[in-house]
Amino acid sequence: MTAIPFAISARHKGFNRAEVVDQNFIEFVQLWNGEVRAAPRDDAAVLPGSALDARGFRELLESQLISRHLDLMARVLRVQNKVFYTIGSSGHEGNAMVARLTRHTDPAFLHYRSGGFMAERFRKIPGMDPVMDSALSFAASKDDPASGGRHKVWGSKPLWVLPQTSTIASHLPKALGTAVAIEQARRIGHQLPIPDDSITICSFGDASSNHATAQTAFNTAAWTAYQKLPAPVLFVCEDNGIGISVKTPSGWVANNYQHRANLDYFFADGLDMAEGYAQVQRAVEHCRTTRRPTFLHLKTTRVMGHAGTDFEIEWRSIEELFAVECSDPLLRSAGIALESGLYSKDELLNLYEATRKRCFAAAEDADSRHRLTSLDDVMAPLAPYTPAAVKAEATRADYAEKRLAVFGGEAKLPEKLPPRHLAIQIGQALHDLLAKYPEALLFGEDVAQKGGVYTVTKGLNKTFKGSRVFNTLLDETMILGLAQGYANMGMLPMPEIQYLAYFHNACDQIRGEAASLQFFSNNQYRNPMVMRVASLGYQKGFGGHFHNDNSITALRDIPGLVVGCPSRGDDAAMMLRTLMALAKVDGRVCAFLEPIALYMTKDLYEAGDGQWQFEYPAPDQAMTLGEGRVYDEAANDLVIFTFGNGVPMALRAARTIEAELKWQVRVVDLRWLAPLNDAFIAAQARTAKRILVLDEGRKSAGVGEGVITAIVEGGCGATPLHRVVGADTFTPLAGAALLVLPGEADVVAAAKELAARS
């Protein structure tokens, strides 16, 4: 290997480090004086003993140069406000080897330093231009084929690169989930959109490997492999030794991952393509042939800092910067190019400058294109909704024979049975949906043989077997990562989160990943799913905060997420059909909140009255997104807006109010909590003499705030109004829970307070 002269970098002590790195390459080539070999044939090794042939080296070098000049271009044009992103790939260009040795049909979830990988993967489909596509993304142009100008992401629909934002390891669970889904498809007879022997690729930095989300993916990968279940994921840890300014202890990555059971470790030198190519090749072939989770430790470096705003000279010694800049992989690639005889000095410098010119020309072109200029344009892919198609899908009932087989004959169809309570009807609806959608999967903690903590999923595992209804490990992050993986492979996942409080452990898998994918891919990729969550308060005999979580703020704050919450069984069945249709047709991410306290509720007013049991709706019945349910439409003395547990509570309180105040009371069940149907709320409020908003959630940031906003903005702000809500506290154990949750007496007292005002 030709030595890289330390003096090159040192001569530029006072310069901008991007300029230094650029000049280092030029001077390295100009000053190179090593021995030149006879140029090899295209199919011969680029250097003796290397597994990389000459043609492959040429193309990889071109990909490296494209990546480097895109970085340099971004640093120059950012200050001119022509590009809007400066986190670069400089020092990581060796990841182009991973792209070359994998297929464009291997789904890739990439680190943001993946310029080399992307440039090389573009070769897989003739006619695609990595420079122009990347320039459009840097410029936030509407013509950007990855995100339509919404973010600088590495992504491509034809190249199976699913866009990632600047996340820290949050993409690892869904990458593993996609690998598991590739194998799961075979078990359920699902046709994959990619070849059956595909693998998934997931790249990240050494600093990110320490993140809890990364650790949960590694643990689950090993947990899967331990059971001899295939999980063909190639984890590529691009180790540059630093995370922004925090150094990774020397040897940490190798020491931490080299001997992990059921996570197969490989090392590759990403700074030297002649040496590293065979090492990467071994890892890729191992992953593809064994179908085991594989950890590729790729040695890289980081030149030009974390991003354009990172002035390393302010916190890093100049000697250390010189040493890092001299480890630049492009200098080693230049040395190979010259030593092998593939390029003369002039030819290499001409290629370098031609690539620079190409990148700058593309950037200037991209800057002249249109950008997003309206809110409608920005939000267009966030929450697509085609009402007619969703209704047609939700009410589609062309699977009668499958229903008969699932339920055991005509007489046992749920619509033929007597009225039943919420838990039973959710279970019946899930049987229905799994019969209707052969690509649907239901999974989570305890959902299979046990049938869930509350037996809601009882019988599903027996009917649909373990390939479609199965238990997972106790890790909500990974449950939602699996859901995204199944969705990526064209399936319809129904993950269960055992309690709402447990969702908060894994919220970013929905907020930062699943719900953002349509937005950041311009609706080219989707994560359709229906997440079932046992929710809300008033659970008797098994309480405390973690089993009586009434806060859904974290869900309602996620852009594009649909949140539904039924209070009765027939509504639950119809809502589930609509949610599955929203996922199937529009790719929506949906949350279905199941009120635990109402699971087994049969009575409404008195014990034994059976008035909270309802007939099961036939499969051609569904509920329109945003459609509420109104009890006693004509009543207008008092209108109570509520949802979930609040509905039967409000109906019981209404009886007392009618008796004591002689008011006619209307109860409005919102049913859909995100997005709230503002027009429906305002329409109900306009005919009300008085309004109560009953929200069992906390006073701060609850659903009630959104309801009141809709009322006021709908022109009903002058109508006397009162809110009945939970306290701003966690829910305590036992009877003390009722001190912080609203009750019927609170609703009646609020009505009397309204009466006192008039």
Side-chain angles (χ1 to χ4, degrees):
M1 175 175 175
T2 305
I4 299 170
F6 188 84
I8 289 179
S9 190
R11 280 204 299 273
H12 304 290
K13 182 174 180 178
F15 286 62
N16 173 289
R17 303 323 296 177
E19 293 178 3
V20 169
V21 169
D22 186 22
Q23 193 62 30
N24 278 352
F25 184 90
I26 295 169
E27 292 188 13
F28 176 84
V29 175
Q30 291 172 337
L31 298 173
W32 191 85
N33 61 358
E35 180 182 348
V36 178
R37 301 174 184 271
R41 301 187 315 272
D42 276 358
D43 60 352
V46 64
L47 289 179
S50 176
L52 178 60
D53 63 31
R55 189 184 75 167
F57 174 79
R58 278 199 197 94
E59 293 181 349
L60 284 167
L61 175 62
E62 289 171 6
S63 295
Q64 288 188 315
L65 293 178
I66 287 170
S67 178
R68 176 60 55 86
H69 278 298
L70 286 171
D71 286 356
L72 293 170
M73 172 275 294
R75 297 298 178 93
V76 172
L77 297 187
R78 176 65 195 98
V79 296
Q80 300 177 32
N81 217 34
K82 293 183 177 181
V83 303
F84 303 92
Y85 193 84
T86 57
I87 295 180
S89 305
S90 295
H92 286 247
E93 291 89 353
N95 56 35
M97 294 185 289
V98 180
R100 187 172 190 84
L101 287 161
T102 55
R103 306 169 184 162
H104 79 277
T105 50
D106 291 329
F109 304 82
L110 300 179
H111 190 218
Y112 43 62
R113 302 195 193 281
S114 296
F117 181 103
M118 287 299 296
E120 185 63 25
R121 182 166 271 207
F122 267 82
R123 297 183 188 280
K124 306 285 185 177
I125 299 180
M128 296 190 70
D129 183 357
V131 174
M132 193 65 232
D133 280 14
S134 298
L136 290 167
S137 187
F138 275 105
S141 168
K142 283 181 69 174
D143 296 335
D144 165 25
S147 76
R150 288 167 186 81
H151 202 283
K152 165 62 188 74
V153 293
W154 296 119
S156 170
K157 180 67 172 178
L159 295 175
W160 270 98
V161 179
L162 289 81
Q164 310 300 307
T165 58
S166 297
T167 51
I168 304 300
S170 60
H171 58 302
L172 273 70
K174 67 180 182 182
L176 174 59
T178 304
V180 172
I182 290 170
E183 299 297 320
Q184 187 86 352
R186 176 180 50 79
R187 292 193 287 272
I188 70 169
H190 175 71
Q191 181 64 48
L192 284 169
I194 56 177
D196 291 351
D197 65 343
S198 297
I199 64 173
T200 63
I201 303 153
C202 180
S203 61
F204 49 93
D206 49 293
S208 293
S209 73
N210 298 308
H211 197 280
T213 310
Q215 293 299 316
T216 201
F218 300 144
N219 179 70
T220 304
W223 184 84
T224 303
Y226 178 78
Q227 300 174 82
K228 295 184 170 38
L229 298 173
V233 57
L234 181 68
F235 290 120
V236 184
C237 181
E238 300 185 14
D239 184 1
N240 63 23
I242 198 166
I244 304 184
S245 67
V246 179
K247 294 178 182 177
T248 298
S250 178
W252 168 248
V253 173
N255 184 71
N256 197 16
Y257 293 98
Q258 193 168 7
H259 303 294
R260 284 203 185 188
N262 296 299
L263 186 60
D264 301 342
Y265 175 92
F266 291 79
F267 172 82
D269 188 349
L271 302 178
D272 184 337
M273 293 196 295
E275 178 71 20
Y277 192 78
Q279 298 166 332
V280 174
Q281 188 174 45
R282 282 193 290 272
V284 171
E285 290 178 354
H286 174 83
C287 185
R288 196 177 303 281
T289 56
T290 67
R291 318 305 285 164
R292 284 174 57 84
T294 303
F295 188 99
L296 174 58
H297 181 193
L298 187 68
K299 182 181 179 181
T300 62
T301 190
R302 190 189 77 191
V303 295
M304 294 166 49
H306 174 71
T309 54
D310 179 19
F311 300 104
E312 289 182 293
I313 195 67
E314 295 180 352
W315 57 269
R316 211 169 183 181
S317 73
I318 193 67
E319 291 77 18
E320 185 180 354
L321 281 175
F322 292 164
V324 168
E325 289 162 359
C326 288
S327 69
D328 184 347
L330 261 63
L331 301 184
R332 174 57 183 149
S333 293
I336 296 170
L338 296 170
E339 180 184 348
S340 66
L342 289 177
Y343 292 88
S344 68
K345 291 183 180 182
D346 287 344
E347 288 170 338
L348 186 55
L349 289 174
N350 287 341
L351 175 62
Y352 188 74
E353 293 304 329
T355 308
R356 184 199 307 273
K357 183 177 180 181
R358 181 182 172 193
C359 290
F360 271 86
E364 294 291 350
D365 184 353
D367 180 54
S368 70
R369 309 283 187 98
H370 294 295
R371 295 190 173 100
L372 297 170
T373 56
S374 74
L375 180 60
D376 287 344
D377 280 349
V378 170
M379 294 183 64
L382 176 64
Y385 180 40
T386 50
V390 168
K391 181 178 180 180
E393 179 61 31
T395 57
R396 177 172 63 82
D398 56 357
Y399 58 106
E401 290 187 11
K402 291 183 180 179
R403 293 191 80 229
L404 290 173
V406 165
F407 290 109
E410 184 77 26
K412 294 183 179 180
L413 291 174
E415 62 267 30
K416 305 287 187 181
L417 301 178
R420 303 302 294 271
H421 52 279
L422 179 66
I424 292 292
Q425 295 215 21
I426 291 176
Q428 291 170 330
L430 293 174
H431 277 82
D432 239 343
L433 291 169
L434 285 166
K436 182 176 182 178
Y437 297 107
E439 71 274 31
L441 305 170
L442 188 147
F443 51 94
E445 302 165 12
D446 302 301
V447 301
Q449 292 83 357
K450 181 176 174 62
V453 174
Y454 300 98
T455 69
V456 174
T457 58
K458 183 178 180 180
L460 288 168
N461 176 256
K462 183 178 180 180
T463 301
F464 296 99
K465 311 304 178 189
S467 58
R468 296 189 60 200
V469 179
F470 51 91
N471 292 328
T472 65
L473 73 176
L474 274 65
D475 185 336
E476 287 74 24
T477 296
M478 202 57 238
I479 290 170
L480 296 177
L482 286 169
Q484 293 173 80
Y486 293 131
N488 289 333
M489 293 295 100
M491 293 171 243
L492 277 176
M494 290 188 282
E496 178 184 291
I497 301 298
Q498 200 165 82
Y499 290 101
L500 180 57
Y502 299 173
F503 167 75
H504 303 299
N505 302 332
C507 179
D508 190 51
Q509 286 302 303
I510 299 297
R511 176 188 302 279
E513 296 296 338
S516 72
L517 184 58
Q518 283 178 282
F519 182 79
F520 288 121
S521 72
N522 201 16
N523 202 26
Q524 296 176 87
Y525 283 107
R526 300 172 166 192
N527 274 143
M529 72 174 72
V530 177
M531 175 179 65
R532 296 177 45 250
V533 190
S535 307
L536 307 180
Y538 303 98
Q539 186 179 185
K540 296 179 181 178
F542 187 29
H545 165 64
F546 286 104
H547 305 103
N548 277 293
D549 191 343
N550 58 3
S551 175
I552 63 170
T553 304
L555 285 164
R556 292 187 63 245
D557 183 52
I558 299 174
L561 182 67
V562 175
V563 181
C565 181
S567 64
R568 44 190 270 183
D570 54 346
D571 282 359
M574 293 188 292
M575 181 179 283
L576 273 169
R577 290 168 189 162
T578 298
L579 290 170
M580 286 294 276
L582 284 163
K584 175 78 174 178
V585 174
D586 290 326
R588 300 294 291 274
V589 181
C590 307
F592 181 70
L593 306 186
E594 303 173 7
I596 300 169
L598 296 180
Y599 271 149
M600 305 301 174
T601 299
K602 301 178 180 66
D603 308 320
L604 178 58
Y605 298 113
E606 290 89 28
D609 68 15
Q611 291 195 46
W612 211 243
Q613 298 184 103
F614 301 92
E615 293 183 354
Y616 185 83
D620 61 353
Q621 297 178 46
M623 183 193 304
T624 303
L625 176 63
E627 178 186 2
R629 181 182 286 277
V630 180
Y631 296 85
D632 199 351
E633 181 83 51
N636 64 0
D637 291 318
L638 177 67
V639 174
I640 304 175
F641 291 93
T642 190
F643 63 93
N645 293 308
V647 178
M649 181 188 298
L651 290 170
R652 288 190 293 269
R655 272 198 168 187
T656 303
I657 294 168
E658 289 167 354
E660 296 186 9
L661 297 178
K662 309 305 179 187
W663 288 353
Q664 297 299 304
V665 181
R666 184 192 323 161
V667 174
V668 177
D669 182 357
L670 299 169
R671 300 197 292 196
W672 300 94
L673 306 183
L676 281 173
N677 188 340
D678 292 352
F680 167 72
I681 293 169
Q684 292 295 321
R686 287 190 194 103
T687 57
K689 295 179 181 178
R690 304 165 191 85
I691 296 171
L692 274 181
V693 177
L694 171 57
D695 174 8
E696 73 167 80
R698 298 171 197 154
K699 180 179 180 181
S700 300
V703 174
E705 291 184 351
V707 175
I708 291 173
T709 299
I711 291 169
V712 172
E713 290 182 347
C716 305
T719 305
L721 182 149
H722 195 90
R723 183 162 54 125
V724 181
V725 293
D728 280 339
T729 181
F730 299 104
T731 306
L733 195 62
L738 299 179
L739 299 175
V740 305
L741 295 169
E744 292 171 39
D746 299 308
V747 178
V748 174
K752 290 179 177 179
E753 183 174 329
L754 283 173
R757 293 188 205 169
S758 53

